[in-house]
Amino acid sequence: MRAVIFGAGTHGEAYLSYFRECGINVVGFLDDNVFQLGSSVRGVPILGRFQELPQLITLYGIDAAFCPLGNNKLRCKLLLWAKELGLNIPNFIHPVANASSNAIIAQEGVYILPGTVIWPWSSLGRFVMINANSQVAHHTTLGDGVFLSSGVNCGASITVNDYAYLGMGSTIMTGVNTLGEDCLIGAGAVVIKDVPDGAVVAGVPAKVLKYKDGYNILSDSNINRGGVK
């Protein structure tokens, strides 16, 4: 495997370390920060901007791409584009993560870091990214492009819809049915009720602070789903 990493920031640098530990050959980074172009990260060159990938594939013999970016929609978009270009977009499950053989894990761009526990009968969609020491309990479903930061505890039988972002140390209690599409759970929040689409919630217990652009409580999905009060 000759892989590139989208994103040459500190998160990408950390992933480089994990990839090297596991014998993955990273030949370069891609990044749109013009001030980084031509430099390197831990000895690995920044080859060019995202848009230059088609030309770089042949030049460097690239056959795989990883994208550990915290922007969920951008991560999904870039990985789908890399796939269209003919690259592999493999999973990366660190050997110290504990993913049950009875969990259903999509085979496209899923990243699970050390210390994470994935219980039996849970389900992970494409492009899910889970940082260290998090937990996904049984019968919980994570949609495409979901991100769990470090130390997240996600209880049982919960549906986490596409692009949801669960901040560091947040807890989603068993008994919650749904976290809405593209919602954002603040660091340390304790969620005890369903969260609407596009809602930004924080606190103990978690409450809605605002909605992202394009979402509001009056949308059909949110009316049907209810939300944190």
Side-chain angles (χ1 to χ4, degrees), residues 151-210:
V152 170
N153 282 294
C154 193
S157 302
I158 299 166
T159 297
V160 182
N161 282 290
D162 295 353
Y163 313 123
Y165 187 109
L166 281 60
M168 185 179 295
S170 58
T171 297
I172 318 301
M173 297 294 295
T174 297
V176 172
N177 292 315
T178 306
L179 300 187
E181 176 184 302
D182 201 21
C183 69
L184 191 157
I185 312 300
V190 177
V191 177
I192 63 173
K193 294 183 179 180
D194 289 1
V195 174
D197 292 347
V200 177
V201 308
V204 182
K207 298 183 183 297
V208 174
L209 302 181
K210 63 179 182 179

Short mmCIF file of all heavy atoms in Angstrom, two decimals, residues 151-210:
data_model
loop_
_atom_site.label_atom_id
_atom_site.label_comp_id
_atom_site.label_asym_id
_atom_site.label_seq_id
_atom_site.Cartn_x
_atom_site.Cartn_y
_atom_site.Cartn_z
N GLY A 151 -13.04 9.47 24.38
CA GLY A 151 -13.73 9.28 25.64
C GLY A 151 -15.24 9.38 25.58
O GLY A 151 -15.89 9.61 26.61
N VAL A 152 -15.83 9.17 24.43
CA VAL A 152 -17.29 9.21 24.29
C VAL A 152 -17.88 7.89 24.76
O VAL A 152 -17.35 6.82 24.48
CB VAL A 152 -17.70 9.49 22.83
CG1 VAL A 152 -19.20 9.29 22.63
CG2 VAL A 152 -17.30 10.90 22.43
N ASN A 153 -18.99 7.96 25.48
CA ASN A 153 -19.75 6.78 25.87
C ASN A 153 -21.12 6.86 25.23
O ASN A 153 -21.92 7.73 25.57
CB ASN A 153 -19.89 6.69 27.39
CG ASN A 153 -18.64 6.17 28.04
OD1 ASN A 153 -18.26 5.02 27.84
ND2 ASN A 153 -17.97 7.02 28.81
N CYS A 154 -21.37 5.95 24.29
CA CYS A 154 -22.64 5.93 23.58
C CYS A 154 -23.39 4.67 24.00
O CYS A 154 -22.92 3.56 23.79
CB CYS A 154 -22.40 5.93 22.07
SG CYS A 154 -23.87 6.26 21.09
N GLY A 155 -24.55 4.86 24.63
CA GLY A 155 -25.30 3.75 25.20
C GLY A 155 -25.92 2.83 24.17
O GLY A 155 -25.64 2.92 22.97
N ALA A 156 -26.80 1.95 24.64
CA ALA A 156 -27.34 0.88 23.81
C ALA A 156 -28.59 1.31 23.05
O ALA A 156 -29.35 2.18 23.47
CB ALA A 156 -27.68 -0.32 24.70
N SER A 157 -28.76 0.68 21.87
CA SER A 157 -29.99 0.79 21.07
C SER A 157 -30.30 2.22 20.66
O SER A 157 -31.46 2.65 20.68
CB SER A 157 -31.17 0.16 21.83
OG SER A 157 -30.91 -1.18 22.14
N ILE A 158 -29.28 2.97 20.30
CA ILE A 158 -29.41 4.36 19.88
C ILE A 158 -29.07 4.45 18.39
O ILE A 158 -28.15 3.80 17.91
CB ILE A 158 -28.45 5.27 20.68
CG1 ILE A 158 -28.78 5.21 22.17
CG2 ILE A 158 -28.51 6.71 20.18
CD1 ILE A 158 -27.71 5.79 23.06
N THR A 159 -29.83 5.26 17.66
CA THR A 159 -29.53 5.55 16.26
C THR A 159 -28.87 6.92 16.18
O THR A 159 -29.49 7.93 16.54
CB THR A 159 -30.79 5.52 15.40
OG1 THR A 159 -31.36 4.21 15.42
CG2 THR A 159 -30.46 5.90 13.95
N VAL A 160 -27.63 6.93 15.74
CA VAL A 160 -26.88 8.19 15.56
C VAL A 160 -26.84 8.46 14.07
O VAL A 160 -26.20 7.72 13.31
CB VAL A 160 -25.46 8.07 16.14
CG1 VAL A 160 -24.72 9.39 15.98
CG2 VAL A 160 -25.51 7.65 17.61
N ASN A 161 -27.55 9.48 13.63
CA ASN A 161 -27.71 9.72 12.20
C ASN A 161 -26.46 10.33 11.56
O ASN A 161 -25.55 10.80 12.24
CB ASN A 161 -28.94 10.59 11.96
CG ASN A 161 -30.22 9.78 12.07
OD1 ASN A 161 -30.52 8.95 11.22
ND2 ASN A 161 -30.98 10.01 13.13
N ASP A 162 -26.47 10.33 10.23
CA ASP A 162 -25.31 10.74 9.44
C ASP A 162 -24.74 12.07 9.91
O ASP A 162 -25.47 13.01 10.20
CB ASP A 162 -25.69 10.87 7.97
CG ASP A 162 -26.10 9.56 7.32
OD1 ASP A 162 -25.96 8.50 7.97
OD2 ASP A 162 -26.55 9.60 6.16
N TYR A 163 -23.41 12.14 9.93
CA TYR A 163 -22.61 13.35 10.17
C TYR A 163 -22.69 13.88 11.60
O TYR A 163 -22.16 14.96 11.88
CB TYR A 163 -22.99 14.48 9.20
CG TYR A 163 -23.09 14.06 7.76
CD1 TYR A 163 -24.26 14.24 7.04
CD2 TYR A 163 -22.01 13.46 7.12
CE1 TYR A 163 -24.36 13.85 5.71
CE2 TYR A 163 -22.10 13.06 5.79
CZ TYR A 163 -23.29 13.26 5.10
OH TYR A 163 -23.38 12.87 3.79
N ALA A 164 -23.33 13.18 12.50
CA ALA A 164 -23.35 13.64 13.90
C ALA A 164 -21.94 13.70 14.45
O ALA A 164 -21.09 12.87 14.14
CB ALA A 164 -24.21 12.72 14.75
N TYR A 165 -21.70 14.69 15.31
CA TYR A 165 -20.38 14.92 15.92
C TYR A 165 -20.56 14.87 17.43
O TYR A 165 -21.26 15.71 18.00
CB TYR A 165 -19.83 16.28 15.47
CG TYR A 165 -18.41 16.57 15.90
CD1 TYR A 165 -17.38 16.60 14.97
CD2 TYR A 165 -18.09 16.84 17.23
CE1 TYR A 165 -16.07 16.88 15.34
CE2 TYR A 165 -16.79 17.13 17.61
CZ TYR A 165 -15.79 17.15 16.66
OH TYR A 165 -14.50 17.42 17.04
N LEU A 166 -19.91 13.89 18.07
CA LEU A 166 -20.02 13.71 19.52
C LEU A 166 -18.71 14.16 20.15
O LEU A 166 -17.66 13.55 19.93
CB LEU A 166 -20.32 12.25 19.86
CG LEU A 166 -21.78 11.78 19.70
CD1 LEU A 166 -22.28 11.94 18.28
CD2 LEU A 166 -21.93 10.34 20.18
N GLY A 167 -18.77 15.25 20.92
CA GLY A 167 -17.59 15.86 21.47
C GLY A 167 -16.93 15.05 22.57
O GLY A 167 -17.50 14.12 23.15
N MET A 168 -15.71 15.43 22.89
CA MET A 168 -14.86 14.71 23.83
C MET A 168 -15.57 14.49 25.17
O MET A 168 -16.11 15.42 25.77
CB MET A 168 -13.58 15.50 24.04
CG MET A 168 -12.54 14.83 24.90
SD MET A 168 -11.05 15.86 25.06
CE MET A 168 -10.46 15.86 23.37
N GLY A 169 -15.57 13.23 25.63
CA GLY A 169 -16.10 12.92 26.95
C GLY A 169 -17.61 13.00 27.07
O GLY A 169 -18.13 12.92 28.19
N SER A 170 -18.32 13.13 25.97
CA SER A 170 -19.79 13.19 26.06
C SER A 170 -20.36 11.80 26.32
O SER A 170 -19.75 10.78 26.00
CB SER A 170 -20.38 13.79 24.79
OG SER A 170 -20.02 13.06 23.64
N THR A 171 -21.56 11.79 26.91
CA THR A 171 -22.25 10.54 27.23
C THR A 171 -23.66 10.60 26.66
O THR A 171 -24.39 11.56 26.91
CB THR A 171 -22.33 10.33 28.75
OG1 THR A 171 -21.00 10.21 29.28
CG2 THR A 171 -23.13 9.08 29.09
N ILE A 172 -24.00 9.57 25.90
CA ILE A 172 -25.36 9.44 25.37
C ILE A 172 -26.00 8.28 26.12
O ILE A 172 -25.62 7.12 25.95
CB ILE A 172 -25.36 9.17 23.85
CG1 ILE A 172 -24.31 10.03 23.13
CG2 ILE A 172 -26.75 9.35 23.29
CD1 ILE A 172 -24.50 11.52 23.31
N MET A 173 -26.96 8.60 26.97
CA MET A 173 -27.51 7.60 27.88
C MET A 173 -28.39 6.60 27.14
O MET A 173 -29.14 6.95 26.22
CB MET A 173 -28.33 8.28 28.97
CG MET A 173 -27.53 9.20 29.87
SD MET A 173 -26.30 8.32 30.87
CE MET A 173 -27.37 7.33 31.92
N THR A 174 -28.30 5.33 27.56
CA THR A 174 -29.27 4.34 27.11
C THR A 174 -30.67 4.85 27.46
O THR A 174 -30.91 5.35 28.56
CB THR A 174 -29.00 3.00 27.79
OG1 THR A 174 -27.70 2.53 27.39
CG2 THR A 174 -30.05 1.96 27.42
N GLY A 175 -31.58 4.73 26.52
CA GLY A 175 -32.92 5.32 26.65
C GLY A 175 -33.14 6.42 25.65
O GLY A 175 -34.28 6.69 25.26
N VAL A 176 -32.06 7.06 25.21
CA VAL A 176 -32.15 7.97 24.07
C VAL A 176 -32.37 7.13 22.82
O VAL A 176 -31.73 6.09 22.64
CB VAL A 176 -30.86 8.80 23.93
CG1 VAL A 176 -30.86 9.61 22.64
CG2 VAL A 176 -30.67 9.70 25.14
N ASN A 177 -33.28 7.56 21.96
CA ASN A 177 -33.55 6.81 20.73
C ASN A 177 -32.71 7.29 19.56
O ASN A 177 -32.18 6.48 18.80
CB ASN A 177 -35.04 6.91 20.35
CG ASN A 177 -35.93 6.20 21.34
OD1 ASN A 177 -35.64 5.08 21.74
ND2 ASN A 177 -37.01 6.85 21.74
N THR A 178 -32.59 8.63 19.41
CA THR A 178 -32.03 9.16 18.18
C THR A 178 -31.20 10.42 18.43
O THR A 178 -31.63 11.31 19.16
CB THR A 178 -33.16 9.53 17.19
OG1 THR A 178 -34.00 8.40 16.99
CG2 THR A 178 -32.60 9.96 15.86
N LEU A 179 -30.04 10.47 17.79
CA LEU A 179 -29.31 11.72 17.63
C LEU A 179 -29.46 12.13 16.18
O LEU A 179 -29.18 11.35 15.26
CB LEU A 179 -27.82 11.54 17.96
CG LEU A 179 -27.47 11.08 19.38
CD1 LEU A 179 -25.96 11.12 19.58
CD2 LEU A 179 -28.16 11.93 20.44
N GLY A 180 -29.90 13.37 15.94
CA GLY A 180 -30.26 13.80 14.61
C GLY A 180 -29.07 13.98 13.68
O GLY A 180 -27.91 14.11 14.10
N GLU A 181 -29.37 14.03 12.40
CA GLU A 181 -28.38 14.26 11.36
C GLU A 181 -27.62 15.55 11.62
O GLU A 181 -28.20 16.59 11.93
CB GLU A 181 -29.07 14.33 10.01
CG GLU A 181 -28.16 14.66 8.84
CD GLU A 181 -28.93 14.81 7.56
OE1 GLU A 181 -29.62 13.83 7.17
OE2 GLU A 181 -28.85 15.88 6.92
N ASP A 182 -26.30 15.48 11.51
CA ASP A 182 -25.41 16.65 11.57
C ASP A 182 -25.53 17.41 12.90
O ASP A 182 -25.18 18.59 12.98
CB ASP A 182 -25.71 17.59 10.40
CG ASP A 182 -24.55 18.52 10.08
OD1 ASP A 182 -23.41 18.21 10.47
OD2 ASP A 182 -24.79 19.58 9.46
N CYS A 183 -26.00 16.75 13.95
CA CYS A 183 -26.04 17.41 15.25
C CYS A 183 -24.64 17.48 15.85
O CYS A 183 -23.73 16.76 15.41
CB CYS A 183 -27.00 16.71 16.21
SG CYS A 183 -26.45 15.07 16.76
N LEU A 184 -24.47 18.34 16.84
CA LEU A 184 -23.19 18.49 17.51
C LEU A 184 -23.42 18.39 19.01
O LEU A 184 -24.17 19.18 19.58
CB LEU A 184 -22.54 19.83 17.15
CG LEU A 184 -21.07 20.02 17.58
CD1 LEU A 184 -20.42 21.09 16.71
CD2 LEU A 184 -20.93 20.42 19.05
N ILE A 185 -22.78 17.40 19.62
CA ILE A 185 -22.86 17.18 21.06
C ILE A 185 -21.61 17.76 21.70
O ILE A 185 -20.50 17.34 21.40
CB ILE A 185 -22.99 15.68 21.40
CG1 ILE A 185 -24.06 15.00 20.54
CG2 ILE A 185 -23.24 15.50 22.88
CD1 ILE A 185 -25.45 15.56 20.70
N GLY A 186 -21.78 18.73 22.59
CA GLY A 186 -20.64 19.40 23.19
C GLY A 186 -19.82 18.50 24.10
O GLY A 186 -20.31 17.49 24.63
N ALA A 187 -18.57 18.87 24.30
CA ALA A 187 -17.68 18.10 25.17
C ALA A 187 -18.27 18.00 26.57
O ALA A 187 -18.74 18.99 27.14
CB ALA A 187 -16.31 18.77 25.22
N GLY A 188 -18.25 16.79 27.11
CA GLY A 188 -18.71 16.56 28.47
C GLY A 188 -20.22 16.55 28.65
O GLY A 188 -20.70 16.37 29.77
N ALA A 189 -20.97 16.72 27.58
CA ALA A 189 -22.44 16.75 27.70
C ALA A 189 -22.97 15.38 28.10
O ALA A 189 -22.39 14.34 27.77
CB ALA A 189 -23.06 17.17 26.37
N VAL A 190 -24.10 15.38 28.80
CA VAL A 190 -24.82 14.14 29.13
C VAL A 190 -26.20 14.25 28.48
O VAL A 190 -27.03 15.06 28.90
CB VAL A 190 -24.95 13.93 30.64
CG1 VAL A 190 -25.77 12.68 30.93
CG2 VAL A 190 -23.56 13.81 31.28
N VAL A 191 -26.40 13.46 27.44
CA VAL A 191 -27.63 13.53 26.65
C VAL A 191 -28.62 12.51 27.20
O VAL A 191 -28.31 11.31 27.27
CB VAL A 191 -27.34 13.27 25.17
CG1 VAL A 191 -28.63 13.26 24.35
CG2 VAL A 191 -26.37 14.32 24.63
N ILE A 192 -29.81 12.97 27.59
CA ILE A 192 -30.83 12.09 28.17
C ILE A 192 -32.11 12.07 27.34
O ILE A 192 -33.03 11.31 27.65
CB ILE A 192 -31.15 12.48 29.63
CG1 ILE A 192 -31.74 13.88 29.70
CG2 ILE A 192 -29.90 12.36 30.50
CD1 ILE A 192 -32.24 14.25 31.10
N LYS A 193 -32.18 12.89 26.28
CA LYS A 193 -33.35 12.91 25.39
C LYS A 193 -32.87 12.98 23.95
O LYS A 193 -31.73 13.33 23.68
CB LYS A 193 -34.23 14.13 25.69
CG LYS A 193 -34.88 14.09 27.06
CD LYS A 193 -35.81 15.29 27.25
CE LYS A 193 -36.48 15.25 28.61
NZ LYS A 193 -37.40 16.42 28.80
N ASP A 194 -33.77 12.66 23.04
CA ASP A 194 -33.45 12.71 21.62
C ASP A 194 -32.96 14.10 21.23
O ASP A 194 -33.42 15.11 21.79
CB ASP A 194 -34.66 12.34 20.77
CG ASP A 194 -35.01 10.86 20.85
OD1 ASP A 194 -34.33 10.11 21.58
OD2 ASP A 194 -35.97 10.47 20.17
N VAL A 195 -32.08 14.14 20.25
CA VAL A 195 -31.51 15.40 19.77
C VAL A 195 -31.98 15.63 18.33
O VAL A 195 -31.86 14.75 17.49
CB VAL A 195 -29.97 15.36 19.84
CG1 VAL A 195 -29.37 16.61 19.19
CG2 VAL A 195 -29.50 15.23 21.28
N PRO A 196 -32.50 16.81 18.01
CA PRO A 196 -32.99 17.09 16.65
C PRO A 196 -31.87 17.19 15.63
O PRO A 196 -30.70 17.39 15.96
CB PRO A 196 -33.71 18.44 16.80
CG PRO A 196 -33.93 18.63 18.26
CD PRO A 196 -32.81 17.91 18.95
N ASP A 197 -32.25 17.13 14.36
CA ASP A 197 -31.31 17.35 13.27
C ASP A 197 -30.67 18.73 13.40
O ASP A 197 -31.35 19.73 13.65
CB ASP A 197 -32.02 17.28 11.91
CG ASP A 197 -32.53 15.90 11.55
OD1 ASP A 197 -32.14 14.93 12.21
OD2 ASP A 197 -33.33 15.81 10.59
N GLY A 198 -29.36 18.78 13.21
CA GLY A 198 -28.66 20.05 13.15
C GLY A 198 -28.57 20.81 14.45
O GLY A 198 -28.10 21.96 14.46
N ALA A 199 -28.98 20.20 15.56
CA ALA A 199 -28.95 20.90 16.84
C ALA A 199 -27.55 20.87 17.45
O ALA A 199 -26.81 19.89 17.32
CB ALA A 199 -29.93 20.25 17.81
N VAL A 200 -27.19 21.96 18.12
CA VAL A 200 -25.97 22.05 18.91
C VAL A 200 -26.39 21.99 20.36
O VAL A 200 -27.14 22.85 20.83
CB VAL A 200 -25.21 23.35 18.62
CG1 VAL A 200 -23.97 23.46 19.51
CG2 VAL A 200 -24.82 23.43 17.15
N VAL A 201 -25.96 20.94 21.08
CA VAL A 201 -26.38 20.76 22.45
C VAL A 201 -25.18 20.67 23.37
O VAL A 201 -24.09 20.25 22.97
CB VAL A 201 -27.27 19.49 22.62
CG1 VAL A 201 -28.42 19.50 21.63
CG2 VAL A 201 -26.46 18.22 22.48
N ALA A 202 -25.37 21.07 24.63
CA ALA A 202 -24.28 21.00 25.60
C ALA A 202 -24.90 21.03 26.99
O ALA A 202 -26.06 21.40 27.18
CB ALA A 202 -23.31 22.16 25.43
N GLY A 203 -24.09 20.63 27.99
CA GLY A 203 -24.52 20.73 29.37
C GLY A 203 -24.89 19.39 29.98
O GLY A 203 -24.89 18.35 29.33
N VAL A 204 -25.20 19.44 31.28
CA VAL A 204 -25.59 18.26 32.05
C VAL A 204 -26.86 18.61 32.82
O VAL A 204 -26.79 19.36 33.80
CB VAL A 204 -24.47 17.84 33.02
CG1 VAL A 204 -24.88 16.58 33.79
CG2 VAL A 204 -23.15 17.61 32.29
N PRO A 205 -28.04 18.13 32.39
CA PRO A 205 -28.26 17.38 31.15
C PRO A 205 -28.17 18.31 29.94
O PRO A 205 -28.29 19.52 30.06
CB PRO A 205 -29.67 16.84 31.32
CG PRO A 205 -30.36 17.85 32.19
CD PRO A 205 -29.30 18.34 33.15
N ALA A 206 -27.97 17.72 28.77
CA ALA A 206 -27.77 18.50 27.55
C ALA A 206 -29.03 19.23 27.14
O ALA A 206 -30.14 18.70 27.23
CB ALA A 206 -27.30 17.59 26.42
N LYS A 207 -28.86 20.46 26.68
CA LYS A 207 -29.95 21.27 26.16
C LYS A 207 -29.54 21.88 24.83
O LYS A 207 -28.35 22.10 24.58
CB LYS A 207 -30.33 22.38 27.15
CG LYS A 207 -30.83 21.86 28.49
CD LYS A 207 -31.25 23.02 29.38
CE LYS A 207 -31.69 22.51 30.75
NZ LYS A 207 -32.88 21.64 30.64
N VAL A 208 -30.53 22.17 23.99
CA VAL A 208 -30.26 22.78 22.70
C VAL A 208 -29.82 24.23 22.90
O VAL A 208 -30.52 25.02 23.55
CB VAL A 208 -31.49 22.73 21.78
CG1 VAL A 208 -31.23 23.50 20.50
CG2 VAL A 208 -31.86 21.28 21.46
N LEU A 209 -28.66 24.57 22.35
CA LEU A 209 -28.17 25.95 22.40
C LEU A 209 -28.55 26.72 21.14
O LEU A 209 -28.85 27.91 21.20
CB LEU A 209 -26.64 25.96 22.55
CG LEU A 209 -26.07 25.24 23.77
CD1 LEU A 209 -24.55 25.37 23.77
CD2 LEU A 209 -26.66 25.77 25.06
N LYS A 210 -28.51 26.04 19.99
CA LYS A 210 -28.84 26.67 18.72
C LYS A 210 -28.96 25.57 17.68
O LYS A 210 -28.77 24.38 17.97
CB LYS A 210 -27.77 27.67 18.31
CG LYS A 210 -26.38 27.06 18.08
CD LYS A 210 -25.38 28.13 17.66
CE LYS A 210 -24.01 27.51 17.38
NZ LYS A 210 -23.02 28.52 16.94
#
